[in-house]
């Protein structure tokens, strides 16, 4: 592969990455707009993103037919980057949610039954998500009043049901389990 082909390939890869970034930003923006948790002024001031940092093993509550629920404890980070100062405010939350589970079990041979299989249905029970702030990290000037304001926006966002929507939309990525 010559240098021109390598340059074209790298340029296309960068264009695809930028296109995905724009789609992600539009997705986060729409979630926050739907939540009613953020003002137009704050929406214009910050680039907002959400990322699932880690998710623990679930607490399974299954029936014999592998239907039931799984409770997950996860860490989700809300990022607010100030467009002007480039300061980054990261809010790490412990988030708990319970998801519907479905599956099958085939007894096979009476003496040696095969393993069953379970998957998430993608439905958060009652749309309930518990979120408690764990940590705030600031890359830039620290301002307690501003941090409290941004934490209030996140709390309103979570209470509006949009955090549950984010989790439903990204359940496989957050939990690592298949969703059917």
């Amino acid at each position: 592969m010559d240098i021109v082909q390598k340059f074209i390939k790298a340029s296309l890869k960068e264009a695809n990455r930028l296109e995905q970034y724009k789609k992600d930003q539009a997705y986060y923006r729409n979630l926050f707009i739907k939540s009613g948790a953020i003002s137009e002024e704050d929406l214009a001031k910050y680039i907002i993103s959400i990322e699932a940092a880690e998710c623990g093993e679930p607490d399974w509550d299954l029936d014999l037919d592998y239907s039931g629920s799984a409770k997950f404890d996860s860490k989700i980070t809300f990022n607010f980057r100030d467009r002007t100062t480039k300061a980054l405010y990261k809010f790490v939350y412990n988030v708990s949610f319970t998801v519907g589970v479905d599956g099958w079990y085939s007894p096979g041979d009476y003496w040696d039954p095969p393993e069953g299989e379970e998957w998430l249905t993608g439905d958060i029970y009652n749309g309930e998500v518990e979120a408690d702030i764990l940590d705030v990290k600031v890359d830039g000037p620290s301002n307690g009043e501003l941090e409290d304001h941004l934490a209030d926006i996140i709390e309103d966002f979570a209470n509006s049901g949009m955090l549950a929507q984010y989790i439903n939309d990204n359940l496989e990525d957050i939990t690592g389990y298949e969703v059917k």
Side-chain angles (χ1 to χ4, degrees):
M1 187 181 306
D2 69 351
I3 190 103
V4 173
Q5 289 175 328
K6 286 181 181 179
F7 177 75
I8 292 170
K9 186 176 180 180
S11 296
L12 288 173
K13 187 176 180 180
E14 180 64 16
N16 289 339
R17 189 189 67 75
L18 287 173
E19 188 62 33
Q20 184 61 45
Y21 175 78
K22 288 177 185 177
K23 286 179 184 177
D24 290 346
Q25 287 304 304
Y27 170 73
Y28 301 131
R29 181 180 173 85
N30 285 337
L31 283 179
F32 273 88
I33 288 170
K34 287 179 184 177
S35 75
I38 193 166
S39 69
E40 285 293 324
E41 179 184 10
D42 284 332
L43 202 52
K45 185 174 182 177
Y46 298 102
I47 298 170
I48 302 169
S49 64
I50 306 170
E51 36 183 83
E54 65 182 68
C55 189
E57 285 299 311
D59 181 14
W60 299 98
D61 183 14
L62 302 173
D63 297 331
L64 290 177
D65 65 354
Y66 276 82
S67 62
S69 65
K71 182 176 182 183
F72 289 90
D73 292 318
S74 178
K75 289 185 177 42
I76 294 181
T77 303
F78 294 84
N79 301 305
F80 291 81
R81 180 167 301 277
D82 189 301
R83 292 179 190 269
T84 307
T85 67
K86 304 299 182 205
L88 177 62
Y89 301 89
K90 289 184 162 206
F91 296 83
V92 182
Y93 278 75
N94 279 327
V95 177
S96 296
F97 54 94
T98 303
V99 180
V101 174
D102 206 353
W104 58 266
Y105 181 77
S106 177
D109 184 347
Y110 177 75
W111 299 107
D112 189 18
E115 290 292 320
E117 176 182 306
E118 65 271 351
W119 59 83
L120 307 178
T121 63
D123 300 320
I124 294 179
Y125 282 165
N126 302 323
E128 291 180 12
V129 175
E130 296 176 24
D132 299 308
I133 193 161
L134 177 66
D135 193 17
V136 178
K137 299 173 185 174
V138 179
D139 179 14
S142 185
N143 177 335
E145 186 176 320
L146 174 60
E147 292 165 21
D148 289 344
H149 173 67
L150 295 176
D152 288 342
I153 290 172
I154 296 168
E155 185 174 326
D156 291 345
F157 175 79
N159 291 336
S160 74
M162 287 296 107
L163 180 54
Q165 181 65 50
Y166 167 78
I167 293 170
N168 271 332
D169 292 348
N170 299 282
L171 195 57
E172 279 189 12
D173 294 334
I174 293 169
T175 64
Y177 285 89
E178 185 178 7
V179 176
K180 290 186 183 183

